Amino acid sequence: MKTTAQIAAELQGCDPQAMRVADVNRFLEQLVEPVTQSEPLALRDALGRVLAHDLVSPISVPPHDNSAMDGFAFDGSQLRAGQALVLRLCGTALAGKVWRGRVAAGECLKITTGAVMPGALDTVVPLEFVQARGDVIEIPADVVRAGDNRRLLGEDLLAGQAALRRGQLLGPAALGLIASLGLGTVSVRRRVKVAYFSTGDEILSLGQAPRAGAVFDSNRYTVCGLLQRLGVEVIDLGVVADSPTLLQAAFHQAAACADAVITSGGVSVGEADHTRSMLRQLGDMAFWRVAMRPGRPLAVGRISSAADHGGAGTLVFGLPGNPVAVMVTFLVFVRPALLRLMGCSAVEPVLLKAHSLEPLRKKPGRTEYQRGIVGQSADARLSVRVTGNQGSGVLHSMVQANGLIVLHHDQSDVAAGDEVDVMMFDGVV
Ligand code: AMP
Ligand code: MG
């Protein structure tokens, strides 16, 4: 296994004092190995879990050609452009029952949605297009083409093909698809455990009496919420004061029970920032200043523990203390890294383009994240405006926002009307 120093050395031209966001993510790609263990789960319990193996379809879905409409099924080769077609009704095929008769030329079958299409028939004319008199129907000229309204066997999935790939995050659609194959259990990667604690002598837990110079711990709630959304098992280790002994005990505890530990505060170079020096003693850590705003100080690496039987060790993310910075660095670095750890194949956030409704100041040479409200402008394009005060301690700006405006490393000032990238919060924040 490579050390953090070896990984960093292989990334050409990165500067620990001004790491680019992209370089941090390239580093994390190398550092983080997916968990390998898997477990069988009842489909109902598998929401938000990651598929451990390719899922080969045991059957075709749909298992037979069937009608997409309520109407009349017939052989479409009898249709002539510009001419009506008159057919005689010879029976009715209902969904769930197989109709076993024969349909001759000049005949049709009344059929309901989902009913099996008899082999010789390939076209369905919807009920509402047809004039019926007794057992004779007339299909007006040019209302259907041959092959219309027939769903083909295996149109969704063919037996023997991979229906889903290993690494698929199982959302409601994927669960439905697995159910459509008749499978009631699914093999998923084991759940990842992530421990979190806040650091700082000034941080109060809820319920503690306010005192001069202290602030309530908000990071614990934002980070634990973000982790819950990610579907990992969250281990909340509370607040740890800026004391080397307490920090050491907290890191040991975290390393003994979690795959990753996240902390906030104490990684800048302030006097009481013991987290940094403690981490240096406990494991293989890299300390950076990242060229980003908000954010900047970041500690990443691995610590090992007695409980770790020669494994990769516990991943550590030492995030900055400022409430917005902690959320932004989580979204930009921690979330993709944890998705990778969970075994997910798609880890990068999707960026959308929106037109900025206002000019934005931006200094080239760092990546900036502004809190934005994305909406639709009159011409139906996406537009975005900034939520007031962008201070890295102003959590209000995150609450009002529905996404982050991403102003890339080399980008400079944005004029009103310019397109910018946005990372949406939907389902994430
Ligand atoms: P630090 O990174 O430790 O220098 O902290 C930077 C700023 O974030 C300081 O103003 C801290 O008081 C604040 N801060 C640190 N941790 C938390 C937390 N858990 N909740 C709210 N604010 C915090
Ligand atoms: Mg501090």
Side-chain angles (χ1 to χ4, degrees):
M1 190 189 307
K2 289 179 193 162
T3 64
T4 56
Q6 284 167 331
I7 299 172
E10 282 173 20
L11 299 176
Q12 305 279 306
C14 66
D15 171 4
Q17 290 308 305
M19 282 288 280
R20 283 173 177 248
V21 166
D23 286 336
V24 176
N25 277 324
R26 284 202 293 150
F27 173 95
L28 288 171
E29 266 171 47
Q30 303 269 317
L31 183 75
V32 180
E33 294 285 340
V35 294
T36 48
Q37 302 92 327
S38 59
E39 57 180 337
L41 271 191
L43 194 53
R44 211 174 265 294
D45 300 325
L47 184 68
R49 302 292 293 268
V50 178
L51 198 62
H53 308 286
D54 286 358
L55 198 78
V56 174
S57 184
I59 55 169
S60 292
V61 180
H64 43 253
D65 286 6
N66 68 95
S67 175
M69 302 289 276
D70 291 330
F72 298 93
F74 62 102
D75 173 0
S77 67
Q78 301 168 95
L79 289 166
R80 297 283 173 274
Q83 292 180 22
L85 178 65
V86 174
L87 298 168
R88 204 182 62 78
L89 195 59
C90 70
T92 301
L94 300 173
K97 297 199 177 70
V98 182
W99 187 81
R100 302 206 183 273
R102 250 199 84 232
V103 182
E107 292 182 338
C108 68
L109 185 65
K110 194 166 185 187
I111 197 162
T112 62
T113 306
V116 177
M117 293 271 283
L121 310 185
D122 64 355
T123 309
V124 174
V125 58
L127 220 47
E128 56 272 27
F129 288 0
V130 166
Q131 285 135 27
R133 268 167 277 108
D135 63 354
V136 173
I137 67 158
E138 181 176 332
I139 304 169
D142 305 321
V143 295
V144 279
R145 288 163 310 173
D148 275 2
N149 303 313
R150 174 178 56 159
R151 299 184 191 137
L152 296 173
L153 178 151
E155 184 175 282
D156 193 356
L157 297 166
L158 267 184
Q161 286 189 350
L164 291 173
R165 294 283 178 195
R166 182 171 85 123
Q168 169 81 46
L169 188 64
L170 299 176
L175 293 190
L177 187 134
I178 296 168
S180 77
L181 301 176
L183 301 174
T185 53
V186 65
S187 172
V188 298
R189 304 253 184 156
R190 78 162 167 85
R191 214 156 164 228
V192 160
K193 294 179 187 174
V194 183
Y196 170 80
F197 57 89
S198 299
T199 72
D201 285 341
E202 79 281 29
I203 309 301
L204 293 174
S205 287
L206 296 185
Q208 285 187 299
R211 60 168 194 270
V215 295
F216 283 110
D217 182 6
S218 60
N219 291 347
R220 204 158 131 203
Y221 292 83
T222 52
V223 175
C224 290
L226 287 162
L227 288 172
Q228 265 172 281
R229 283 273 168 104
L230 207 49
V232 300
E233 185 178 331
V234 184
I235 302 162
D236 182 352
L237 298 179
V239 179
V240 178
D242 284 317
S243 130
T245 7
L246 294 176
L247 285 166
Q248 183 176 26
F251 276 114
H252 276 148
Q253 190 186 350
C257 64
D259 300 294
V261 52
I262 301 170
T263 65
S264 78
V267 286
S268 55
V269 286
E271 239 171 272
D273 288 336
H274 295 296
T275 311
R276 206 180 150 95
S277 42
M278 184 46 58
L279 277 172
R280 213 186 284 284
Q281 291 173 37
L282 291 178
D284 172 24
M285 298 291 303
F287 298 91
W288 298 318
R289 281 178 180 213
V290 186
M292 70 188 292
R293 194 165 125 150
R296 235 158 73 109
L298 186 70
V300 201
R302 273 187 294 244
I303 54 176
S304 54
S305 80
D308 175 37
H309 311 288
T314 295
L315 286 170
V316 177
F317 299 93
L319 305 184
N322 277 308
V324 178
V326 86
M327 292 191 82
V328 169
T329 49
F330 184 99
L331 293 173
V332 176
F333 305 127
V334 182
R335 191 168 192 277
L338 291 182
L339 283 168
R340 190 178 303 284
L341 183 66
M342 290 160 66
C344 245
S345 45
V347 305
E348 298 298 333
V350 175
L351 299 182
L352 302 181
K353 297 262 180 228
H355 294 265
S356 180
L357 291 174
E358 55 210 329
L360 303 172
R361 296 197 53 187
K362 163 68 172 60
K363 227 170 101 176
R366 68 183 184 202
T367 308
E368 291 188 18
Y369 300 88
Q370 304 215 355
R371 278 68 81 197
I373 301 173
V374 177
Q376 231 166 32
S377 36
D379 59 4
R381 293 186 306 176
L382 291 183
S383 61
V384 63
R385 65 194 162 85
V386 171
T387 60
N389 186 342
Q390 297 291 298
S392 64
V394 183
L395 257 190
H396 214 105
S397 64
M398 283 298 284
V399 177
Q400 288 174 311
N402 60 4
L404 284 180
I405 303 173
V406 183
L407 301 171
H408 297 281
H409 191 89
D410 297 318
Q411 213 170 338
S412 49
D413 288 349
V414 171
D418 281 358
E419 253 186 0
V420 289
D421 278 339
V422 289
M423 186 196 293
M424 297 304 290
F425 285 167
D426 195 27
V428 173
V429 175

